[in-house]
C-alpha cells in the first residue's frame, strides 16, 4: 500500500458551498478513482487493524461511504448513526448545537452496548460538533470510543482539540 499517494490531488475545493464563506472539501474525485479510494481504506485499516476495535460507527451520509468498506476490510460490525426519523427500530438520540439552532442524531438502542470498542468515522473533521454528538451517543450505551478517524481534517478549525482526550487520526490534514 502506498502512503506517498497525495490525496489532496483528489479532493476538490468548492468555494462558498453550501453557503458563502465555506470552502467545501469535495471528496467525489477520490471516490471516483478506485485505486485512490482503496488506498484511503487501506490506510485506515492499517492504522486500526490491531486495536481491539469491534465496531465502526459512522454518521450519515458521507461517513457511510468510508465506514462500510472499512468495516468489511477489518471484518467488524458497522453501525449507522442517522438523522431523526430514519431508523426503523427503537432509538436513542443526542442533540447537538449548530451555528443556528440544534440538530439531532439517532442510533438503534440495541446497536452497541457495554464492553464494545468503537471506532467513530467521518469524511471531514471541521469544528468537531458532529463527531462529539456521535461520541456522546456511543457513550450513552456504555461502549468505549477507542478513536475518531477522518479522511480529511481541517486543522485550522481546531476540531481535534475539542475531542480531547479521544485519539484522533486523519488521513489528510489541512493545517
Ligand atoms: P463538524 O461537525 O463541524 O466537524 O462538521 C463535520 C460534518 O460536516 C462532516 O460530516 C462533514 O461532512 C461536513 N463538513 C463540515 N465542513 C465541511 C467542509 N468544509 N467540507 C466538506 N464537508 C464539511
Amino acid at each position: 500500500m502506498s502512503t506517498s499517494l497525495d490525496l489532496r490531488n483528489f479532493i476538490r475545493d468548492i468555494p462558498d458551498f453550501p453557503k458563502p464563506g465555506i470552502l467545501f472539501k469535495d471528496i467525489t474525485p477520490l471516490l471516483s478513482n478506485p485505486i485512490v479510494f482503496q488506498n484511503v481504506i487501506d490506510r485506515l485499516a492499517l492504522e486500526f487493524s490491531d486495536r481491539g476495535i469491534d465496531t465502526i460507527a459512522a454518521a450519515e451520509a458521507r461517513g457511510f461511504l468510508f465506514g462500510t468498506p472499512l468495516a468489511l476490510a477489518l471484518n467488524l460490525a458497522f453501525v449507522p448513526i442517522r438523522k431523526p426519523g430514519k431508523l426503523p427500530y427503537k432509538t436513542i438520540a443526542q442533540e447537538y448545537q449548530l451555528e443556528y439552532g440544534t440538530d439531532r442524531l439517532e442510533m438503534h438502542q440495541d446497536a452497541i452496548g457495554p464492553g464494545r470498542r468503537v471506532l467513530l468515522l467521518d469524511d471531514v473533521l471541521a469544528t468537531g460538533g458532529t463527531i462529539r454528538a456521535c461520541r456522546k451517543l456511543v457513550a450513552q450505551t456504555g461502549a468505549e470510543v477507542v478513536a475518531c478517524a477522518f479522511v480529511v481534517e481541517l486543522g485550522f478549525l481546531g476540531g481535534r482539540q475539542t475531542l480531547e482526550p479521544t485519539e484522533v487520526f486523519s488521513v489528510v490534514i489541512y493545517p
Side-chain angles (χ1 to χ4, degrees), residues 11-14 17-18 21-27 59-63 83 96-98 121-133 150 152 154 156-157 159 162-163:
I11 298 164
R12 182 164 57 183
D13 283 351
I14 311 284
F17 182 88
I22 306 279
L23 185 62
F24 192 85
K25 295 293 181 189
D26 175 20
I27 45 104
E60 77 171 285
R62 289 187 298 272
K83 297 278 167 61
Y96 64 107
Q97 214 62 40
L98 296 175
L121 184 68
D122 205 355
D123 66 331
V124 174
L125 172 60
T127 66
T130 309
I131 210 80
R132 283 198 305 281
F150 305 90
V152 177
L154 305 179
F156 53 90
L157 292 176
T162 73
L163 288 167

Side-chain angles (χ1 to χ4, degrees), residues 20-125:
I22 306 279
L23 185 62
F24 192 85
K25 295 293 181 189
D26 175 20
I27 45 104
T28 60
L30 182 162
L31 295 174
S32 72
N33 183 318
I35 292 171
V36 179
F37 191 3
Q38 183 70 56
N39 182 266
V40 170
I41 299 305
D42 289 347
R43 288 198 211 183
L44 288 164
L46 184 69
E47 188 67 26
F48 293 105
S49 61
D50 204 11
R51 302 287 301 277
I53 290 164
D54 50 54
T55 305
I56 311 272
E60 77 171 285
R62 289 187 298 272
F64 293 0
L65 298 172
F66 298 98
T68 48
L70 182 62
L72 284 178
L74 292 174
N75 195 27
L76 305 178
F78 177 79
V79 170
I81 296 173
R82 300 212 59 183
K83 297 278 167 61
K86 300 285 189 188
L87 287 168
Y89 186 57
K90 294 173 197 158
T91 56
I92 57 171
Q94 184 64 51
E95 304 261 345
Y96 64 107
Q97 214 62 40
L98 296 175
E99 200 177 344
Y100 301 103
T102 60
D103 212 343
R104 184 184 161 92
L105 287 171
E106 296 181 348
M107 186 172 74
H108 275 154
Q109 68 171 27
D110 63 350
I112 315 180
R116 296 280 286 274
R117 288 174 54 81
V118 178
L119 175 67
L120 287 175
L121 184 68
D122 205 355
D123 66 331
V124 174
L125 172 60

